[in-house]
Amino acid sequence: MFVTISTTGTAARPATDLGYLLHKHPDKAQRFSTSYGTAHVFYPEANAERCTAALLLEIDPVALVRRGRGKGRGGAPDAALAQYVNDRPYAASSLLAVALGNVFSSALRGVCAARPERAAAPLPLRVEVPALPARGGPDLVRRLFEPLGWTSAAGGADRAEDAPFADPVPLDTAFPEWGDSRYVRLLLESERLTLAEALRHLYVLLPVLDDAKHYWVSADEVDKLLRAGEGWLAGHPERQLITNRYLSRRWSLTRQARERLELVRLAEADDSEVEDIDNAVADETGTEEKPTPLAVQRREAILAALGTAGAGRVLDLGCGEGHLVRALLKDARFTEIVGVDVSQRALAIAARRLKLDRMGERQAARVTLLQGSLAYTDRRLKGYDAAVLSEVVEHVDPPRLPALEYAVFGHARPRTVVVTTPNVEYNVRWESLPAGHVRHGDHRFEWTREEFRAWAATVAERHGYEVGFTPVGPDDPEVGPPTQMATFTIRSEKEAKAA
């Protein structure tokens, strides 16, 4: 399986910035192990004017059969012999989509600390996939990609307006009368999309065109689809076909996805939040109270800790898309709120969700969004009452944790610091989480309760804080709560000297 992504540039904005955006150096050929083979990333060309990144996926057919279902609903719909003799090693499919998600995970999220402005801006892009199964042919390829801002790359500068987005591959060039196969050569160009948007389109639409998946489709596939489809799937004219195929026509999952996409579409049309639309009609038929989502319980615990500390000026470090910032804004006790994140795209989404451009002057004066890395000291963050690191530390490589620790506790030194992180012991209670897996693909680690307490105690001792611990979520008597929270309170100078 093979895909190339190319861009052009100038001396001032070199095309080799693609290496920064993909987090893969153009001068290196890199290998990555996957469950079904080996992924290779290399650059056939890399200069200021033009840069091409290639992903080559070598599939082990035997490993594919051993690890996957191999046939039946949600897997390859072929007979037993075809488990071993098939097109999987050569034709792009859900296997390539998974490799894209794993190898280019940061690029898929639009994260690039080295070139954040490039990650947030559209690029001149060309995508080519030499062999792609397309059940529906070139016409379906056009219907899927054209509404998203892609144009055909076929024919170069002289291409016709109706040039195909994909060239059919004949069954046999020696016998043209046999007609075309179900495979196409995908040729796409765009100057309107960011790299992250382009990768998310490929991540969803490659398995949709193949119309088969190599693994069992479970409930978490709905979340994957909606995450990758954020901003484009709800308004796509072929969203029903995309949803049906991506979820392997599992009726319960496609219904769930369609309902959630409809909420997104209505929210966008009404210029409101999905939560507001979803809660607009009271459920009078059901008597069973729905459990409060863990994310909501986490925000409530953080607000309670900040309220107890008497904090008015609060930093949300690693604010992401602004969920906690929005909760803080709703509470008049918090007079100044600063959200900080390394991702410019996340900050742009936060600004849109908070409706900063339409916010009243007094309310707007309470909130500021800043781009910054928590691995470096930042004088803009000094002098605040409290700082929150909510589900942040587990995304940091362990060797960089001391840098984050000093930047927050040693340099910024707020009076109170609230830290939440997953409790890895609780993972056995998640039925959908495979054994030995972390909760999110970007987690560098997940701590046990003992490990978290040891880290927190060391940080508190080193920087002159007291620390207390609070469970968040159901506190299981055997494995503890799903989220663990530490609240650090700075010692007074008198207490510090006595210590």
Short mmCIF file of all heavy atoms in Angstrom, two decimals, residues 101-129:
data_model
loop_
_atom_site.label_atom_id
_atom_site.label_comp_id
_atom_site.label_asym_id
_atom_site.label_seq_id
_atom_site.Cartn_x
_atom_site.Cartn_y
_atom_site.Cartn_z
N GLY A 101 -3.34 7.14 10.68
CA GLY A 101 -3.71 7.64 12.00
C GLY A 101 -2.63 7.42 13.03
O GLY A 101 -2.43 8.25 13.93
N ASN A 102 -1.90 6.30 12.92
CA ASN A 102 -0.86 5.98 13.90
C ASN A 102 0.44 6.74 13.63
O ASN A 102 1.04 7.33 14.52
CB ASN A 102 -0.58 4.48 13.91
CG ASN A 102 -1.73 3.68 14.47
OD1 ASN A 102 -2.56 4.21 15.19
ND2 ASN A 102 -1.79 2.40 14.15
N VAL A 103 0.89 6.71 12.38
CA VAL A 103 2.19 7.30 12.02
C VAL A 103 2.12 8.83 12.01
O VAL A 103 3.08 9.50 12.41
CB VAL A 103 2.66 6.76 10.66
CG1 VAL A 103 3.95 7.44 10.23
CG2 VAL A 103 2.85 5.25 10.73
N PHE A 104 1.00 9.39 11.58
CA PHE A 104 0.86 10.85 11.49
C PHE A 104 -0.18 11.36 12.49
O PHE A 104 -0.98 12.24 12.18
CB PHE A 104 0.45 11.25 10.07
CG PHE A 104 1.44 10.89 9.00
CD1 PHE A 104 1.02 10.37 7.79
CD2 PHE A 104 2.80 11.05 9.20
CE1 PHE A 104 1.93 10.03 6.80
CE2 PHE A 104 3.73 10.71 8.22
CZ PHE A 104 3.29 10.20 7.01
N SER A 105 -0.18 10.81 13.70
CA SER A 105 -1.23 11.15 14.67
C SER A 105 -1.22 12.63 15.03
O SER A 105 -2.28 13.26 15.13
CB SER A 105 -1.08 10.29 15.94
OG SER A 105 0.20 10.49 16.52
N SER A 106 -0.05 13.22 15.25
CA SER A 106 0.02 14.65 15.60
C SER A 106 -0.45 15.51 14.44
O SER A 106 -1.19 16.49 14.63
CB SER A 106 1.44 15.02 16.01
OG SER A 106 1.83 14.35 17.18
N ALA A 107 -0.02 15.17 13.23
CA ALA A 107 -0.45 15.93 12.04
C ALA A 107 -1.95 15.83 11.84
O ALA A 107 -2.61 16.79 11.43
CB ALA A 107 0.29 15.42 10.81
N LEU A 108 -2.53 14.67 12.14
CA LEU A 108 -3.96 14.46 12.00
C LEU A 108 -4.74 15.41 12.91
O LEU A 108 -5.84 15.85 12.58
CB LEU A 108 -4.31 13.01 12.32
CG LEU A 108 -5.59 12.44 11.74
CD1 LEU A 108 -5.45 12.22 10.25
CD2 LEU A 108 -5.92 11.10 12.39
N ARG A 109 -4.15 15.73 14.08
CA ARG A 109 -4.80 16.64 15.03
C ARG A 109 -4.43 18.10 14.77
O ARG A 109 -4.92 18.98 15.46
CB ARG A 109 -4.41 16.28 16.47
CG ARG A 109 -4.76 14.87 16.88
CD ARG A 109 -4.63 14.68 18.39
NE ARG A 109 -3.39 15.20 18.90
CZ ARG A 109 -2.24 14.55 18.93
NH1 ARG A 109 -2.18 13.32 18.44
NH2 ARG A 109 -1.15 15.09 19.42
N GLY A 110 -3.56 18.35 13.81
CA GLY A 110 -3.15 19.72 13.52
C GLY A 110 -2.16 20.28 14.52
O GLY A 110 -2.04 21.50 14.66
N VAL A 111 -1.42 19.41 15.22
CA VAL A 111 -0.47 19.85 16.24
C VAL A 111 0.92 19.96 15.62
O VAL A 111 1.42 19.01 15.03
CB VAL A 111 -0.43 18.85 17.41
CG1 VAL A 111 0.66 19.23 18.40
CG2 VAL A 111 -1.79 18.79 18.10
N CYS A 112 1.54 21.14 15.75
CA CYS A 112 2.91 21.34 15.28
C CYS A 112 3.51 22.51 16.05
O CYS A 112 3.28 23.67 15.71
CB CYS A 112 2.96 21.60 13.77
SG CYS A 112 4.64 21.85 13.16
N ALA A 113 4.27 22.20 17.09
CA ALA A 113 4.86 23.25 17.92
C ALA A 113 5.89 24.06 17.15
O ALA A 113 6.06 25.26 17.38
CB ALA A 113 5.49 22.63 19.17
N ALA A 114 6.60 23.42 16.21
CA ALA A 114 7.66 24.11 15.48
C ALA A 114 7.12 25.07 14.43
O ALA A 114 7.71 26.12 14.18
CB ALA A 114 8.58 23.08 14.82
N ARG A 115 6.00 24.74 13.79
CA ARG A 115 5.42 25.58 12.73
C ARG A 115 3.91 25.68 12.94
O ARG A 115 3.11 25.27 12.08
CB ARG A 115 5.71 24.99 11.35
CG ARG A 115 7.19 24.93 10.96
CD ARG A 115 7.76 26.30 10.65
NE ARG A 115 9.08 26.21 10.06
CZ ARG A 115 10.20 26.08 10.75
NH1 ARG A 115 10.15 26.00 12.08
NH2 ARG A 115 11.37 26.01 10.13
N PRO A 116 3.43 26.23 14.06
CA PRO A 116 1.98 26.26 14.31
C PRO A 116 1.20 27.05 13.28
O PRO A 116 0.07 26.71 12.94
CB PRO A 116 1.89 26.89 15.71
CG PRO A 116 3.17 27.63 15.89
CD PRO A 116 4.20 26.85 15.15
N GLU A 117 1.83 28.13 12.76
CA GLU A 117 1.11 28.94 11.77
C GLU A 117 0.93 28.19 10.47
O GLU A 117 -0.08 28.36 9.77
CB GLU A 117 1.84 30.27 11.54
CG GLU A 117 3.14 30.19 10.74
CD GLU A 117 4.30 29.55 11.51
OE1 GLU A 117 4.18 29.39 12.74
OE2 GLU A 117 5.33 29.22 10.88
N ARG A 118 1.88 27.32 10.12
CA ARG A 118 1.76 26.53 8.90
C ARG A 118 0.71 25.43 9.07
O ARG A 118 -0.02 25.09 8.14
CB ARG A 118 3.11 25.90 8.53
CG ARG A 118 4.18 26.90 8.15
CD ARG A 118 4.00 27.41 6.74
NE ARG A 118 4.73 26.60 5.78
CZ ARG A 118 4.51 26.62 4.47
NH1 ARG A 118 3.56 27.36 3.97
NH2 ARG A 118 5.24 25.88 3.65
N ALA A 119 0.66 24.85 10.27
CA ALA A 119 -0.32 23.80 10.53
C ALA A 119 -1.74 24.33 10.44
O ALA A 119 -2.66 23.60 10.06
CB ALA A 119 -0.07 23.18 11.91
N ALA A 120 -1.94 25.60 10.80
CA ALA A 120 -3.29 26.18 10.81
C ALA A 120 -3.68 26.78 9.47
O ALA A 120 -4.84 27.17 9.30
CB ALA A 120 -3.37 27.25 11.90
N ALA A 121 -2.75 26.86 8.53
CA ALA A 121 -3.02 27.53 7.26
C ALA A 121 -3.19 26.51 6.13
O ALA A 121 -2.57 25.44 6.16
CB ALA A 121 -1.89 28.49 6.92
N PRO A 122 -4.01 26.82 5.12
CA PRO A 122 -4.13 25.94 3.95
C PRO A 122 -2.79 25.83 3.22
O PRO A 122 -1.98 26.76 3.22
CB PRO A 122 -5.18 26.63 3.08
CG PRO A 122 -5.93 27.53 4.01
CD PRO A 122 -4.94 27.97 5.03
N LEU A 123 -2.58 24.67 2.59
CA LEU A 123 -1.35 24.41 1.83
C LEU A 123 -1.72 23.97 0.42
O LEU A 123 -2.78 23.37 0.21
CB LEU A 123 -0.54 23.29 2.49
CG LEU A 123 0.04 23.50 3.88
CD1 LEU A 123 0.68 22.20 4.34
CD2 LEU A 123 1.07 24.60 3.86
N PRO A 124 -0.84 24.21 -0.55
CA PRO A 124 -1.03 23.56 -1.86
C PRO A 124 -0.67 22.09 -1.72
O PRO A 124 0.48 21.74 -1.44
CB PRO A 124 -0.04 24.31 -2.76
CG PRO A 124 0.98 24.88 -1.85
CD PRO A 124 0.30 25.14 -0.53
N LEU A 125 -1.66 21.22 -1.86
CA LEU A 125 -1.46 19.79 -1.60
C LEU A 125 -1.79 18.96 -2.84
O LEU A 125 -2.70 19.29 -3.61
CB LEU A 125 -2.34 19.34 -0.44
CG LEU A 125 -2.02 19.89 0.94
CD1 LEU A 125 -3.11 19.53 1.92
CD2 LEU A 125 -0.67 19.36 1.43
N ARG A 126 -1.04 17.88 -3.00
CA ARG A 126 -1.34 16.88 -4.03
C ARG A 126 -1.23 15.52 -3.36
O ARG A 126 -0.23 15.21 -2.71
CB ARG A 126 -0.36 16.97 -5.20
CG ARG A 126 -0.59 15.88 -6.27
CD ARG A 126 0.51 15.90 -7.30
NE ARG A 126 0.40 14.75 -8.21
CZ ARG A 126 -0.15 14.78 -9.41
NH1 ARG A 126 -0.65 15.91 -9.87
NH2 ARG A 126 -0.20 13.71 -10.17
N VAL A 127 -2.27 14.71 -3.50
CA VAL A 127 -2.31 13.37 -2.91
C VAL A 127 -2.46 12.36 -4.04
O VAL A 127 -3.28 12.54 -4.95
CB VAL A 127 -3.48 13.24 -1.92
CG1 VAL A 127 -3.64 11.79 -1.47
CG2 VAL A 127 -3.28 14.15 -0.72
N GLU A 128 -1.66 11.31 -3.96
CA GLU A 128 -1.75 10.25 -4.97
C GLU A 128 -1.72 8.89 -4.29
O GLU A 128 -0.87 8.63 -3.44
CB GLU A 128 -0.60 10.37 -5.97
CG GLU A 128 -0.68 9.37 -7.11
CD GLU A 128 0.32 9.63 -8.21
OE1 GLU A 128 0.88 10.77 -8.26
OE2 GLU A 128 0.58 8.72 -9.02
N VAL A 129 -2.67 8.04 -4.65
CA VAL A 129 -2.72 6.65 -4.20
C VAL A 129 -2.76 5.79 -5.46
O VAL A 129 -3.76 5.81 -6.20
CB VAL A 129 -3.96 6.37 -3.32
CG1 VAL A 129 -3.96 4.93 -2.85
CG2 VAL A 129 -3.99 7.32 -2.13
#
